[in-house]
Amino acid sequence: MFEQLGLIGCGLMGGSFALALKRAGLVKRVVGYSKSPSTTERARSLGVIDVEAPSALLAVSGADIVLIAVPVSATEATFKAIKHLVTPQMLIMDVGSTKRDVVDAARRALREQVGSFVPAHPIAGKEVAGVEHADPDLYSGKQIILTPLDRTHATQVQQAIDVWSALGCSVLKMTPESHDAAFAAVSHLPHLIAFALMNSVTGQGQGKDFLSLAGPGFRDFTRIAASDPHIWRDIMISNREELLTQSKLFQRNLQALELMISNGNADALEELIGQASQARAQWSMNKNRR
């Protein structure tokens, strides 16, 4: 059990982590800080945190576990704000959706104390933000990716594995580079496409009429377009190289389908659709077996 969680960022992700730790009996006290004092106050009133801290540094003071749940663009500033109270025994984690930039920021800001940091990416979330949506079950049954640095202490890595496992998570370790390449393909690109599709439909003169006719397929496909704009702006800029690589690959495949449609090449079009359908069915089957 941890004595104190220092929570920096009392929103959906951070708040859910705090509630999950409390319910599992893994922490005695939660001290929280958010850039907006009203968010910190709301977190305390909801029982997400026990004590409001006036700064990120004071949220870390006395903590043996720290979770940084801020937009990825604010990660380095947060590291700089807390570095003077980071100890070799402390476990520090984040929940950012990109990892290479976070790791680089940790090296620059934490320096000799970077061994306490275990970068983490929970594959979990909602399309709504805010501490009022914090859910102790958010991480249960989900996958957590850890991308330890070469200087991360083995003790902290094992602690991170133990914490997330105790919350009902499946833990996987990857390099930051492999993580960012993979999630550009299966997360960041789908969000980019969903945003573009919604803007494409609503930007037309008859867009509202078209939306009134949309069914479950459109609803499911565009669900992630309702995601937090600020968070996704940061993710896409942070992982721009990998995202643009995936976007170009997608455009080539889209253009291939368009060419077959344009030429009326039904057999070739059916073959490519069949490849996609079979791949999706196989992926779904494998996921259900896990």
Side-chain angles (χ1 to χ4, degrees):
M1 176 186 286
F2 294 96
E3 291 294 322
Q4 181 176 306
L5 166 66
L7 180 61
I8 303 174
C10 302
L12 171 68
M13 302 296 283
S16 296
F17 184 77
L19 290 176
L21 280 191
K22 284 186 171 188
R23 188 175 67 180
L26 294 175
V27 70
K28 292 182 179 179
R29 187 169 81 143
V30 178
V31 178
Y33 166 77
S34 282
K35 186 176 180 180
S36 169
S38 62
T39 298
T40 317
E41 182 180 353
R42 178 71 170 152
R44 184 184 57 78
S45 68
L46 291 171
V48 173
I49 66 174
D50 303 305
V51 180
E52 299 175 45
S55 67
L57 182 64
L58 291 178
V60 169
S61 179
D64 45 357
I65 178 172
V66 173
L67 187 75
I68 297 173
V70 301
V72 289
S73 62
T75 304
E76 184 162 5
T78 302
F79 285 143
K80 289 178 179 177
I82 69 172
K83 65 181 179 180
H84 296 299
L85 290 182
V86 173
T87 69
Q89 294 75 37
M90 187 180 288
L91 168 62
I92 304 173
M93 297 185 291
D94 76 315
V95 293
S97 295
T98 57
K99 293 272 78 86
R100 190 163 47 187
D101 58 325
V102 169
V103 165
D104 289 344
R107 287 194 178 104
R108 287 192 297 267
L110 295 180
R111 297 188 179 182
E112 66 274 6
Q113 300 295 4
V114 76
S116 296
F117 179 52
V118 182
H121 177 199
I123 315 306
K126 298 181 181 180
E127 284 69 56
V128 289
V131 68
E132 60 271 16
H133 300 292
D135 179 0
D137 289 316
L138 184 69
Y139 301 114
S140 180
K142 302 300 193 302
Q143 193 170 57
I144 304 295
I145 311 297
L146 302 181
T147 63
L149 291 72
D150 51 359
R151 293 176 58 192
T152 301
H153 302 316
T155 299
Q156 270 83 341
V157 174
Q158 189 58 54
Q159 280 184 316
I161 293 172
D162 292 344
V163 168
W164 290 111
S165 297
L167 298 185
C169 303
S170 173
V171 182
L172 177 67
K173 288 196 293 183
M174 299 175 68
T175 65
E177 294 76 15
S178 296
H179 169 281
D180 286 1
F183 282 91
V186 300
S187 176
H188 307 165
L189 178 64
H191 278 79
L192 180 66
I193 294 169
F195 297 143
L197 177 59
M198 285 303 303
N199 287 340
S200 176
V201 173
T202 59
Q204 300 177 50
Q206 293 177 284
K208 289 185 179 180
D209 294 332
F210 293 164
L211 286 178
S212 70
L213 300 172
F218 185 87
R219 178 199 63 205
D220 294 344
F221 188 87
T222 60
R223 175 183 59 82
I224 54 178
S227 299
D228 187 295
H230 182 71
I231 290 173
W232 278 95
R233 175 202 69 183
D234 285 353
I235 290 170
M236 290 180 175
I237 294 298
S238 297
N239 201 26
R240 62 168 71 90
E241 291 183 11
E242 296 290 355
L243 175 55
L244 291 174
T245 295
Q246 292 299 325
S247 180
K248 290 173 184 175
L249 289 171
F250 170 77
Q251 290 176 55
R252 284 207 291 269
N253 280 275
L254 180 61
Q255 288 166 359
L257 290 166
E258 289 174 343
L259 181 61
M260 292 170 190
I261 294 169
S262 177
N263 293 338
N265 193 338
D267 291 341
L269 179 62
E270 182 178 355
E271 183 179 352
L272 278 189
I273 293 174
Q275 288 177 14
S277 178
Q278 184 177 7
R280 176 59 171 78
Q282 186 63 48
W283 171 78
S284 182
M285 186 182 303
N286 291 339
K287 284 292 259 187
N288 291 335
R289 286 174 179 168
R290 293 177 186 173

